[in-house]
Amino acid sequence: MAGKRTITIIGGGVIGLTAARALVGAGHDVTLIERREDVGQEASFANGGQLSYRYVSPLADAGVVRDALGWLLHPHAPISLRLRADPGQWRWLLGFILACNRQTNRTNAAILLDLALAGQAELRRWRHAGLDDFLWRRPGKLVLYRESSKFRRAARAIADPDRQRALSPAECMAVEPVFAGLQSRIAGGIFSPEDEVADCALFCVAMRKSLAAQPGFRLVRGEAALAPGSGGRCALAVNGRPFETDLIVLAAGIASRVLAHPLGIDLPLYGLKGYSLTTRPRPGTLPAVSVTDYDNRVVYAGLGDRLRIAAMVDIGAEDTTPDPRRLAALRALVAQTLPGAFDRGEDAPWAGLRPATPTGVPVIARSRYDNLLFNVGHGALGFTLSVGSALRLTDIVAGADARAIG
Ligand SMILES: Cc1cc2nc3c(=O)[nH]c(=O)nc-3n(C[C@H](O)[C@H](O)[C@H](O)COP(=O)(O)OP(=O)(O)OC[C@H]3O[C@@H](n4cnc5c(N)ncnc54)[C@H](O)[C@@H]3O)c2cc1C
């Protein structure tokens, strides 16, 4: 696949945009197709804002199935499951259960860590080359553990003690005093001082603007569709009209699964619905570092003068309409953790579908069609993994070894 190519990317979320930037940087001509009025309007819109480079352990881990069974009866559960008459859901759940063991989690976490750290270094270069403000900061990330067995396990799993530290409850509160009310309720925390935060929607707009200044780039508003073509290739249409290109990159988030169906390809993707609240908290209640309340799976990130709170994994919720019961559960969890931080009704709720694989490892791969590549399935970590995934994709376009799926 070496040499300059004409490449069309389907999807203007954070994954498609970063892929476009890396591919243009490698000298290719790139067209990005986006069906919405602007980029970054779907899963990339109001996500948790954590660039969680050092903390990339997939959701599938030992003990998660047991925890999830307990949560099923709890109204504030961080994970909820609605079984559907959908063989795709059952296959995904089976793959997820099979990945819920320590060894698979460690192997997959190592793959994600490589992608994340490569992306962190490259994003530094992109920022230095000039990007519009996207509320980027490097405040570090503190993961708070309420259960001591989970804290001890996380402390044992620290791979690089120069860049991650296990802290006592008092040390956690010294790092982030806004959560002082939790001191007696936590077992400890893991602090990763080099982790970052940023607004993903603003980042998408900053990427669009920087790409618009590149001669090899164009953005086309339209609905893309794929179909089997001739000679081992697949055919692309935009708004029903054939669209000529050397290579196609499918990066359409959760919609990628449906887009790949006419090709006879069943991508291992499922939409895990999650929620966020965005608020201007009262003075003194905006955390400086980004914080994860591990046992409740709630993340807190200060973005400018706003606080973004994200949480919940709803399996089997297929649309992005916020469910009032889940929002109420999230607000109740936050009220217990940061009492009085903000008023109800001033917390801009949002819901999105994380495009998740069972293992948490994205599909960055060739396909059985000579002209089709995938960059999909970034799940709960798409912002964090986006730039590293774009570099990996660019290597595959340049001829690097990659598995072919579908
Ligand atoms: C509640 C929540 C919190 C999160 N928190 C974090 C976090 O803190 N840190 C982190 O790293 N990640 C986080 N994530 C995950 C991250 O947001 C996603 O992994 C990421 O946004 C996925 O990006 P994407 O580009 O693959 O998908 P999307 O952003 O959904 O983009 C896909 C794009 O493709 C377009 N499209 C679809 N079909 C077509 C078509 N036929 N033609 C043209 N265009 C099409 C869509 O309009 C869309 O713009 C969170 C997600 C959620 C839901």
Side-chain angles (χ1 to χ4, degrees):
M1 288 197 190
K4 177 172 174 164
R5 313 297 297 266
T6 302
I7 303 175
T8 300
I9 300 173
I10 305 174
V14 72
I15 299 301
L17 286 157
T18 48
R21 165 88 186 217
L23 289 166
V24 167
H28 301 288
D29 284 338
V30 175
T31 300
L32 184 77
I33 313 285
E34 171 53 51
R35 64 183 173 182
R36 302 279 291 243
E37 64 287 354
D38 199 357
V39 296
Q41 299 294 299
E42 299 208 349
S44 306
F45 186 65
N47 70 17
Q50 291 193 334
L51 290 162
S52 176
Y53 296 116
R54 288 275 159 191
Y55 208 95
V56 287
S57 177
L59 179 63
D61 196 0
V64 167
V65 174
R66 189 197 54 223
D67 285 352
L69 288 174
W71 284 329
L72 290 183
L73 302 172
H74 198 288
H76 294 173
I79 299 184
S80 85
L81 170 64
R82 188 185 309 162
L83 279 175
R84 293 187 170 272
D86 170 9
Q89 185 195 50
W90 304 342
R91 269 199 303 279
W92 191 94
L93 282 171
L94 180 63
F96 180 79
I97 290 166
L98 291 174
C100 281
N101 63 78
R102 189 66 29 82
Q103 186 52 46
T104 306
N105 177 275
R106 285 215 182 124
T107 305
N108 291 336
I111 295 170
L112 299 182
L113 185 65
D114 280 352
L115 271 183
L117 295 183
Q120 184 177 27
E122 183 69 1
L123 181 57
R124 185 181 309 128
R125 286 187 277 275
W126 292 5
R127 283 191 292 102
H128 290 167
L131 275 179
D132 275 11
D133 184 22
F134 56 103
L135 302 178
W136 175 91
R137 289 186 303 125
R138 182 178 293 155
K141 168 166 164 165
L142 179 62
V143 183
L144 299 174
Y145 290 86
R146 294 170 189 250
E147 267 188 44
S148 48
S149 60
K150 288 184 178 149
F151 171 54
R152 282 199 303 274
R153 201 168 77 203
R156 279 199 302 273
I158 289 179
D160 185 347
D162 289 338
R163 295 192 161 79
Q164 279 190 311
R165 297 196 303 273
L167 304 182
S168 69
E171 288 169 327
C172 290
M173 298 314 140
V175 167
E176 185 43 82
V178 162
F179 286 80
L182 284 189
Q183 182 165 343
S184 61
R185 284 182 276 161
I186 60 167
I190 307 291
F191 185 49
S192 311
E194 294 175 10
D195 277 1
E196 303 168 4
V197 295
D199 186 310
C200 190
L202 286 181
F203 177 64
C204 288
V205 172
M207 293 299 296
R208 165 171 61 65
K209 288 187 180 165
S210 86
L211 280 163
Q214 306 286 327
F217 177 79
R218 74 181 166 135
L219 175 62
V220 170
R221 173 104 32 94
E223 179 95 29
L226 297 169
S230 55
R233 291 169 64 82
C234 89
L236 169 65
V238 177
N239 293 333
R241 294 212 181 86
F243 198 93
E244 293 305 322
T245 185
D246 291 344
L247 284 180
I248 302 162
V249 175
L250 184 54
I254 193 58
S256 304
R257 192 174 151 209
V258 171
L259 277 162
H261 273 165
L263 304 173
I265 297 175
D266 192 10
L267 287 170
L269 296 182
Y270 202 71
L272 301 183
K273 186 169 180 174
Y275 290 81
S276 74
L277 304 171
T278 306
T279 179
R280 274 177 223 282
R282 296 211 166 86
T285 55
L286 184 63
V289 305
S290 93
V291 170
T292 296
D293 176 356
Y294 179 81
D295 300 71
N296 288 323
R297 304 289 202 280
V298 183
V299 306
Y300 299 82
L303 302 175
D305 61 355
R306 293 165 307 151
L307 175 61
R308 174 74 46 78
I309 302 161
M312 306 298 191
V313 175
D314 290 0
I315 307 173
E318 291 181 325
D319 66 57
T320 55
T321 310
D323 174 344
R325 283 168 309 162
R326 297 297 274 160
L327 278 176
L330 175 56
R331 288 181 176 123
L333 280 174
V334 176
Q336 287 162 16
T337 307
L338 283 182
F342 57 89
D343 291 325
R344 280 185 189 197
E346 294 185 3
D347 59 7
W350 172 83
L353 294 172
R354 304 172 183 92
T357 63
T359 59
V361 177
V363 179
I364 311 167
R366 304 176 199 281
S367 72
R368 78 170 108 105
Y369 295 88
D370 293 343
N371 61 337
L372 177 67
L373 297 142
F374 299 114
N375 190 11
V376 298
H378 296 76
L381 286 168
F383 193 12
T384 305
L385 301 176
S386 58
V387 181
S389 301
L391 296 179
R392 171 84 188 117
L393 178 78
T394 305
D395 286 347
I396 297 175
V397 169
D401 278 348
R403 68 194 171 119
I405 80 146

